[in-house]
């Protein structure tokens, strides 16, 4: 399988996984006004990186996720703003993007 086809299937897999988990999160948070996400990445690159595959994200996949969240009405905020959103019990959709510099998955 060529790499671009592999990336297409890989990105589609993560899109489907996101949709499944989003439905689960939406059901679990029914009644809550808070609608926030914190997304963690390790490596965003199109180059080969000698780390676990689950720690890698292509630039297109990263961009696609950000565009999708923006189209769903999320605003991107800092960690400081995140705390204000939580304290105010804001009903505005918000997302925080973080990067973990540890080479192993974090559980």
């Amino acid at each position: 399988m060529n790499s671009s086809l592999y990336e297409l299937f890989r990105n589609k897999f993560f899109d489907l996984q996101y949709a499944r988990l989003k439905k689960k999160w939406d059901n679990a948070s029914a009644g809550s006004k808070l609608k926030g996400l914190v997304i963690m990445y390790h490596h965003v690159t199109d180059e080969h990186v000698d780390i676990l595959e689950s720690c890698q994200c292509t630039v297109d996949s990263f961009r696609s996720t950000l565009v999708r969240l923006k189209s769903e009405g999320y605003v991107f905020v800092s960690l400081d703003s995140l705390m204000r959103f939580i304290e105010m019990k804001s009903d505005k959709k918000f997302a925080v993007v973080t990067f973990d510099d540890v080479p192993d998955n974090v559980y």
Side-chain angles (χ1 to χ4, degrees), residues 48-76:
H48 174 73
V49 180
D50 192 24
I51 60 168
L52 293 172
E53 191 172 311
S54 62
C55 294
Q56 299 179 45
C57 179
T58 65
V59 173
D60 283 341
S61 181
F62 178 73
R63 183 179 297 117
S64 171
T65 299
L66 299 183
V67 168
R68 182 181 63 236
L69 290 174
K70 187 173 181 180
S71 74
E72 291 176 4
Y74 286 88
V75 294
F76 295 94

PDB file of all heavy atoms in Angstrom, residues 48-76:
ATOM      1  N   HIS A  48       9.407  11.111   8.397  1.00  0.00           N
ATOM      2  CA  HIS A  48       9.489   9.915   9.226  1.00  0.00           C
ATOM      3  C   HIS A  48      10.160  10.266  10.553  1.00  0.00           C
ATOM      4  O   HIS A  48      11.203  10.910  10.592  1.00  0.00           O
ATOM      5  CB  HIS A  48      10.285   8.813   8.531  1.00  0.00           C
ATOM      6  CG  HIS A  48      10.516   7.625   9.421  1.00  0.00           C
ATOM      7  ND1 HIS A  48       9.504   6.745   9.738  1.00  0.00           N
ATOM      8  CD2 HIS A  48      11.613   7.218  10.082  1.00  0.00           C
ATOM      9  CE1 HIS A  48       9.990   5.834  10.558  1.00  0.00           C
ATOM     10  NE2 HIS A  48      11.273   6.086  10.780  1.00  0.00           N
ATOM     11  N   VAL A  49       9.519   9.865  11.643  1.00  0.00           N
ATOM     12  CA  VAL A  49      10.069  10.061  12.979  1.00  0.00           C
ATOM     13  C   VAL A  49      10.142   8.693  13.624  1.00  0.00           C
ATOM     14  O   VAL A  49       9.176   7.931  13.588  1.00  0.00           O
ATOM     15  CB  VAL A  49       9.179  11.000  13.825  1.00  0.00           C
ATOM     16  CG1 VAL A  49       9.763  11.203  15.205  1.00  0.00           C
ATOM     17  CG2 VAL A  49       8.977  12.326  13.125  1.00  0.00           C
ATOM     18  N   ASP A  50      11.268   8.364  14.196  1.00  0.00           N
ATOM     19  CA  ASP A  50      11.475   7.040  14.777  1.00  0.00           C
ATOM     20  C   ASP A  50      10.894   6.965  16.185  1.00  0.00           C
ATOM     21  O   ASP A  50      11.624   6.917  17.177  1.00  0.00           O
ATOM     22  CB  ASP A  50      12.964   6.685  14.784  1.00  0.00           C
ATOM     23  CG  ASP A  50      13.196   5.222  15.115  1.00  0.00           C
ATOM     24  OD1 ASP A  50      12.277   4.408  14.901  1.00  0.00           O
ATOM     25  OD2 ASP A  50      14.296   4.902  15.602  1.00  0.00           O
ATOM     26  N   ILE A  51       9.560   7.033  16.253  1.00  0.00           N
ATOM     27  CA  ILE A  51       8.841   6.900  17.523  1.00  0.00           C
ATOM     28  C   ILE A  51       7.619   6.024  17.274  1.00  0.00           C
ATOM     29  O   ILE A  51       7.345   5.646  16.142  1.00  0.00           O
ATOM     30  CB  ILE A  51       8.394   8.276  18.093  1.00  0.00           C
ATOM     31  CG1 ILE A  51       7.456   8.979  17.119  1.00  0.00           C
ATOM     32  CG2 ILE A  51       9.583   9.133  18.452  1.00  0.00           C
ATOM     33  CD1 ILE A  51       6.759  10.174  17.702  1.00  0.00           C
ATOM     34  N   LEU A  52       6.892   5.743  18.319  1.00  0.00           N
ATOM     35  CA  LEU A  52       5.676   4.955  18.156  1.00  0.00           C
ATOM     36  C   LEU A  52       4.746   5.621  17.159  1.00  0.00           C
ATOM     37  O   LEU A  52       4.580   6.843  17.163  1.00  0.00           O
ATOM     38  CB  LEU A  52       4.951   4.824  19.494  1.00  0.00           C
ATOM     39  CG  LEU A  52       5.646   4.011  20.576  1.00  0.00           C
ATOM     40  CD1 LEU A  52       4.899   4.138  21.891  1.00  0.00           C
ATOM     41  CD2 LEU A  52       5.739   2.556  20.160  1.00  0.00           C
ATOM     42  N   GLU A  53       4.138   4.816  16.315  1.00  0.00           N
ATOM     43  CA  GLU A  53       3.246   5.353  15.288  1.00  0.00           C
ATOM     44  C   GLU A  53       2.081   6.132  15.904  1.00  0.00           C
ATOM     45  O   GLU A  53       1.625   7.131  15.355  1.00  0.00           O
ATOM     46  CB  GLU A  53       2.718   4.208  14.422  1.00  0.00           C
ATOM     47  CG  GLU A  53       2.021   4.678  13.187  1.00  0.00           C
ATOM     48  CD  GLU A  53       1.676   3.534  12.265  1.00  0.00           C
ATOM     49  OE1 GLU A  53       2.556   2.704  11.974  1.00  0.00           O
ATOM     50  OE2 GLU A  53       0.510   3.482  11.846  1.00  0.00           O
ATOM     51  N   SER A  54       1.601   5.691  17.051  1.00  0.00           N
ATOM     52  CA  SER A  54       0.473   6.370  17.690  1.00  0.00           C
ATOM     53  C   SER A  54       0.836   7.760  18.185  1.00  0.00           C
ATOM     54  O   SER A  54      -0.039   8.550  18.541  1.00  0.00           O
ATOM     55  CB  SER A  54      -0.067   5.531  18.850  1.00  0.00           C
ATOM     56  OG  SER A  54       0.929   5.369  19.841  1.00  0.00           O
ATOM     57  N   CYS A  55       2.116   8.091  18.221  1.00  0.00           N
ATOM     58  CA  CYS A  55       2.575   9.426  18.658  1.00  0.00           C
ATOM     59  C   CYS A  55       2.781  10.368  17.477  1.00  0.00           C
ATOM     60  O   CYS A  55       3.174  11.510  17.676  1.00  0.00           O
ATOM     61  CB  CYS A  55       3.884   9.305  19.435  1.00  0.00           C
ATOM     62  SG  CYS A  55       3.729   8.434  20.987  1.00  0.00           S
ATOM     63  N   GLN A  56       2.508   9.905  16.264  1.00  0.00           N
ATOM     64  CA  GLN A  56       2.750  10.710  15.075  1.00  0.00           C
ATOM     65  C   GLN A  56       1.432  11.192  14.480  1.00  0.00           C
ATOM     66  O   GLN A  56       0.423  10.500  14.524  1.00  0.00           O
ATOM     67  CB  GLN A  56       3.488   9.890  14.026  1.00  0.00           C
ATOM     68  CG  GLN A  56       4.841   9.415  14.488  1.00  0.00           C
ATOM     69  CD  GLN A  56       5.537   8.589  13.444  1.00  0.00           C
ATOM     70  OE1 GLN A  56       5.557   8.949  12.275  1.00  0.00           O
ATOM     71  NE2 GLN A  56       6.101   7.473  13.862  1.00  0.00           N
ATOM     72  N   CYS A  57       1.450  12.381  13.938  1.00  0.00           N
ATOM     73  CA  CYS A  57       0.289  12.949  13.268  1.00  0.00           C
ATOM     74  C   CYS A  57       0.784  13.706  12.050  1.00  0.00           C
ATOM     75  O   CYS A  57       1.735  14.483  12.146  1.00  0.00           O
ATOM     76  CB  CYS A  57      -0.447  13.893  14.231  1.00  0.00           C
ATOM     77  SG  CYS A  57      -1.893  14.693  13.506  1.00  0.00           S
ATOM     78  N   THR A  58       0.151  13.491  10.922  1.00  0.00           N
ATOM     79  CA  THR A  58       0.553  14.223   9.721  1.00  0.00           C
ATOM     80  C   THR A  58       0.060  15.664   9.818  1.00  0.00           C
ATOM     81  O   THR A  58      -0.886  15.978  10.544  1.00  0.00           O
ATOM     82  CB  THR A  58      -0.025  13.581   8.451  1.00  0.00           C
ATOM     83  OG1 THR A  58      -1.442  13.686   8.494  1.00  0.00           O
ATOM     84  CG2 THR A  58       0.399  12.130   8.310  1.00  0.00           C
ATOM     85  N   VAL A  59       0.695  16.518   9.051  1.00  0.00           N
ATOM     86  CA  VAL A  59       0.297  17.927   9.016  1.00  0.00           C
ATOM     87  C   VAL A  59      -1.140  18.040   8.510  1.00  0.00           C
ATOM     88  O   VAL A  59      -1.946  18.799   9.069  1.00  0.00           O
ATOM     89  CB  VAL A  59       1.282  18.746   8.149  1.00  0.00           C
ATOM     90  CG1 VAL A  59       0.789  20.165   7.965  1.00  0.00           C
ATOM     91  CG2 VAL A  59       2.673  18.716   8.760  1.00  0.00           C
ATOM     92  N   ASP A  60      -1.496  17.268   7.489  1.00  0.00           N
ATOM     93  CA  ASP A  60      -2.863  17.316   6.956  1.00  0.00           C
ATOM     94  C   ASP A  60      -3.891  16.876   7.995  1.00  0.00           C
ATOM     95  O   ASP A  60      -4.957  17.481   8.108  1.00  0.00           O
ATOM     96  CB  ASP A  60      -3.001  16.438   5.709  1.00  0.00           C
ATOM     97  CG  ASP A  60      -2.415  17.090   4.470  1.00  0.00           C
ATOM     98  OD1 ASP A  60      -2.227  18.331   4.475  1.00  0.00           O
ATOM     99  OD2 ASP A  60      -2.164  16.356   3.491  1.00  0.00           O
ATOM    100  N   SER A  61      -3.582  15.830   8.742  1.00  0.00           N
ATOM    101  CA  SER A  61      -4.507  15.356   9.773  1.00  0.00           C
ATOM    102  C   SER A  61      -4.662  16.395  10.880  1.00  0.00           C
ATOM    103  O   SER A  61      -5.772  16.657  11.354  1.00  0.00           O
ATOM    104  CB  SER A  61      -3.999  14.029  10.351  1.00  0.00           C
ATOM    105  OG  SER A  61      -4.888  13.555  11.329  1.00  0.00           O
ATOM    106  N   PHE A  62      -3.555  17.002  11.290  1.00  0.00           N
ATOM    107  CA  PHE A  62      -3.593  18.049  12.305  1.00  0.00           C
ATOM    108  C   PHE A  62      -4.447  19.217  11.822  1.00  0.00           C
ATOM    109  O   PHE A  62      -5.356  19.677  12.515  1.00  0.00           O
ATOM    110  CB  PHE A  62      -2.162  18.505  12.606  1.00  0.00           C
ATOM    111  CG  PHE A  62      -2.053  19.617  13.601  1.00  0.00           C
ATOM    112  CD1 PHE A  62      -2.281  19.386  14.952  1.00  0.00           C
ATOM    113  CD2 PHE A  62      -1.708  20.898  13.199  1.00  0.00           C
ATOM    114  CE1 PHE A  62      -2.173  20.412  15.880  1.00  0.00           C
ATOM    115  CE2 PHE A  62      -1.590  21.934  14.117  1.00  0.00           C
ATOM    116  CZ  PHE A  62      -1.825  21.686  15.466  1.00  0.00           C
ATOM    117  N   ARG A  63      -4.167  19.680  10.619  1.00  0.00           N
ATOM    118  CA  ARG A  63      -4.919  20.793  10.043  1.00  0.00           C
ATOM    119  C   ARG A  63      -6.403  20.438   9.927  1.00  0.00           C
ATOM    120  O   ARG A  63      -7.269  21.247  10.277  1.00  0.00           O
ATOM    121  CB  ARG A  63      -4.348  21.158   8.672  1.00  0.00           C
ATOM    122  CG  ARG A  63      -5.014  22.363   8.031  1.00  0.00           C
ATOM    123  CD  ARG A  63      -4.415  22.728   6.675  1.00  0.00           C
ATOM    124  NE  ARG A  63      -3.031  23.116   6.790  1.00  0.00           N
ATOM    125  CZ  ARG A  63      -2.018  22.459   6.230  1.00  0.00           C
ATOM    126  NH1 ARG A  63      -2.237  21.379   5.511  1.00  0.00           N
ATOM    127  NH2 ARG A  63      -0.781  22.870   6.382  1.00  0.00           N
ATOM    128  N   SER A  64      -6.694  19.233   9.456  1.00  0.00           N
ATOM    129  CA  SER A  64      -8.074  18.783   9.295  1.00  0.00           C
ATOM    130  C   SER A  64      -8.827  18.800  10.624  1.00  0.00           C
ATOM    131  O   SER A  64      -9.990  19.211  10.694  1.00  0.00           O
ATOM    132  CB  SER A  64      -8.079  17.375   8.696  1.00  0.00           C
ATOM    133  OG  SER A  64      -9.367  16.830   8.707  1.00  0.00           O
ATOM    134  N   THR A  65      -8.163  18.363  11.685  1.00  0.00           N
ATOM    135  CA  THR A  65      -8.792  18.360  13.013  1.00  0.00           C
ATOM    136  C   THR A  65      -9.109  19.781  13.461  1.00  0.00           C
ATOM    137  O   THR A  65     -10.217  20.058  13.938  1.00  0.00           O
ATOM    138  CB  THR A  65      -7.880  17.671  14.041  1.00  0.00           C
ATOM    139  OG1 THR A  65      -7.672  16.318  13.646  1.00  0.00           O
ATOM    140  CG2 THR A  65      -8.491  17.712  15.427  1.00  0.00           C
ATOM    141  N   LEU A  66      -8.161  20.692  13.291  1.00  0.00           N
ATOM    142  CA  LEU A  66      -8.382  22.075  13.710  1.00  0.00           C
ATOM    143  C   LEU A  66      -9.495  22.732  12.898  1.00  0.00           C
ATOM    144  O   LEU A  66     -10.349  23.431  13.454  1.00  0.00           O
ATOM    145  CB  LEU A  66      -7.091  22.880  13.599  1.00  0.00           C
ATOM    146  CG  LEU A  66      -5.919  22.406  14.456  1.00  0.00           C
ATOM    147  CD1 LEU A  66      -4.737  23.355  14.299  1.00  0.00           C
ATOM    148  CD2 LEU A  66      -6.300  22.252  15.916  1.00  0.00           C
ATOM    149  N   VAL A  67      -9.511  22.497  11.595  1.00  0.00           N
ATOM    150  CA  VAL A  67     -10.548  23.063  10.732  1.00  0.00           C
ATOM    151  C   VAL A  67     -11.918  22.500  11.115  1.00  0.00           C
ATOM    152  O   VAL A  67     -12.909  23.238  11.194  1.00  0.00           O
ATOM    153  CB  VAL A  67     -10.217  22.812   9.242  1.00  0.00           C
ATOM    154  CG1 VAL A  67     -11.405  23.124   8.346  1.00  0.00           C
ATOM    155  CG2 VAL A  67      -9.006  23.619   8.827  1.00  0.00           C
ATOM    156  N   ARG A  68     -11.981  21.183  11.368  1.00  0.00           N
ATOM    157  CA  ARG A  68     -13.248  20.556  11.748  1.00  0.00           C
ATOM    158  C   ARG A  68     -13.770  21.129  13.062  1.00  0.00           C
ATOM    159  O   ARG A  68     -14.948  21.477  13.183  1.00  0.00           O
ATOM    160  CB  ARG A  68     -13.105  19.038  11.856  1.00  0.00           C
ATOM    161  CG  ARG A  68     -14.437  18.357  12.210  1.00  0.00           C
ATOM    162  CD  ARG A  68     -14.345  16.848  12.344  1.00  0.00           C
ATOM    163  NE  ARG A  68     -13.465  16.498  13.424  1.00  0.00           N
ATOM    164  CZ  ARG A  68     -12.399  15.709  13.298  1.00  0.00           C
ATOM    165  NH1 ARG A  68     -12.074  15.205  12.133  1.00  0.00           N
ATOM    166  NH2 ARG A  68     -11.658  15.434  14.335  1.00  0.00           N
ATOM    167  N   LEU A  69     -12.881  21.258  14.055  1.00  0.00           N
ATOM    168  CA  LEU A  69     -13.315  21.810  15.340  1.00  0.00           C
ATOM    169  C   LEU A  69     -13.804  23.249  15.187  1.00  0.00           C
ATOM    170  O   LEU A  69     -14.832  23.626  15.757  1.00  0.00           O
ATOM    171  CB  LEU A  69     -12.190  21.730  16.367  1.00  0.00           C
ATOM    172  CG  LEU A  69     -11.844  20.322  16.846  1.00  0.00           C
ATOM    173  CD1 LEU A  69     -10.615  20.352  17.740  1.00  0.00           C
ATOM    174  CD2 LEU A  69     -13.026  19.687  17.556  1.00  0.00           C
ATOM    175  N   LYS A  70     -13.094  24.042  14.403  1.00  0.00           N
ATOM    176  CA  LYS A  70     -13.517  25.421  14.172  1.00  0.00           C
ATOM    177  C   LYS A  70     -14.883  25.452  13.493  1.00  0.00           C
ATOM    178  O   LYS A  70     -15.748  26.246  13.866  1.00  0.00           O
ATOM    179  CB  LYS A  70     -12.469  26.154  13.334  1.00  0.00           C
ATOM    180  CG  LYS A  70     -12.762  27.621  13.187  1.00  0.00           C
ATOM    181  CD  LYS A  70     -11.627  28.349  12.504  1.00  0.00           C
ATOM    182  CE  LYS A  70     -11.973  29.832  12.398  1.00  0.00           C
ATOM    183  NZ  LYS A  70     -10.930  30.586  11.745  1.00  0.00           N
ATOM    184  N   SER A  71     -15.102  24.567  12.521  1.00  0.00           N
ATOM    185  CA  SER A  71     -16.394  24.526  11.821  1.00  0.00           C
ATOM    186  C   SER A  71     -17.521  24.061  12.742  1.00  0.00           C
ATOM    187  O   SER A  71     -18.685  24.377  12.508  1.00  0.00           O
ATOM    188  CB  SER A  71     -16.313  23.635  10.582  1.00  0.00           C
ATOM    189  OG  SER A  71     -16.291  22.263  10.943  1.00  0.00           O
ATOM    190  N   GLU A  72     -17.172  23.318  13.792  1.00  0.00           N
ATOM    191  CA  GLU A  72     -18.164  22.868  14.774  1.00  0.00           C
ATOM    192  C   GLU A  72     -18.419  23.933  15.845  1.00  0.00           C
ATOM    193  O   GLU A  72     -19.175  23.702  16.789  1.00  0.00           O
ATOM    194  CB  GLU A  72     -17.707  21.565  15.432  1.00  0.00           C
ATOM    195  CG  GLU A  72     -17.711  20.376  14.492  1.00  0.00           C
ATOM    196  CD  GLU A  72     -17.166  19.101  15.128  1.00  0.00           C
ATOM    197  OE1 GLU A  72     -16.847  19.100  16.344  1.00  0.00           O
ATOM    198  OE2 GLU A  72     -17.038  18.101  14.404  1.00  0.00           O
ATOM    199  N   GLY A  73     -17.763  25.091  15.721  1.00  0.00           N
ATOM    200  CA  GLY A  73     -18.024  26.193  16.634  1.00  0.00           C
ATOM    201  C   GLY A  73     -17.079  26.306  17.817  1.00  0.00           C
ATOM    202  O   GLY A  73     -17.317  27.118  18.718  1.00  0.00           O
ATOM    203  N   TYR A  74     -16.011  25.530  17.828  1.00  0.00           N
ATOM    204  CA  TYR A  74     -15.045  25.616  18.920  1.00  0.00           C
ATOM    205  C   TYR A  74     -14.144  26.834  18.718  1.00  0.00           C
ATOM    206  O   TYR A  74     -13.789  27.170  17.593  1.00  0.00           O
ATOM    207  CB  TYR A  74     -14.169  24.364  18.992  1.00  0.00           C
ATOM    208  CG  TYR A  74     -14.888  23.162  19.549  1.00  0.00           C
ATOM    209  CD1 TYR A  74     -15.607  22.314  18.716  1.00  0.00           C
ATOM    210  CD2 TYR A  74     -14.867  22.876  20.909  1.00  0.00           C
ATOM    211  CE1 TYR A  74     -16.284  21.217  19.221  1.00  0.00           C
ATOM    212  CE2 TYR A  74     -15.534  21.780  21.424  1.00  0.00           C
ATOM    213  CZ  TYR A  74     -16.247  20.959  20.571  1.00  0.00           C
ATOM    214  OH  TYR A  74     -16.917  19.883  21.074  1.00  0.00           O
ATOM    215  N   VAL A  75     -13.776  27.492  19.824  1.00  0.00           N
ATOM    216  CA  VAL A  75     -12.757  28.531  19.799  1.00  0.00           C
ATOM    217  C   VAL A  75     -11.541  27.962  20.509  1.00  0.00           C
ATOM    218  O   VAL A  75     -11.663  27.224  21.484  1.00  0.00           O
ATOM    219  CB  VAL A  75     -13.219  29.845  20.467  1.00  0.00           C
ATOM    220  CG1 VAL A  75     -14.341  30.478  19.686  1.00  0.00           C
ATOM    221  CG2 VAL A  75     -13.626  29.619  21.899  1.00  0.00           C
ATOM    222  N   PHE A  76     -10.365  28.295  20.017  1.00  0.00           N
ATOM    223  CA  PHE A  76      -9.129  27.794  20.607  1.00  0.00           C
ATOM    224  C   PHE A  76      -8.658  28.783  21.665  1.00  0.00           C
ATOM    225  O   PHE A  76      -8.612  29.987  21.420  1.00  0.00           O
ATOM    226  CB  PHE A  76      -8.071  27.569  19.524  1.00  0.00           C
ATOM    227  CG  PHE A  76      -8.477  26.492  18.558  1.00  0.00           C
ATOM    228  CD1 PHE A  76      -9.125  26.799  17.378  1.00  0.00           C
ATOM    229  CD2 PHE A  76      -8.244  25.166  18.867  1.00  0.00           C
ATOM    230  CE1 PHE A  76      -9.527  25.805  16.502  1.00  0.00           C
ATOM    231  CE2 PHE A  76      -8.643  24.155  18.003  1.00  0.00           C
ATOM    232  CZ  PHE A  76      -9.286  24.483  16.819  1.00  0.00           C
TER     233      PHE A  76
END
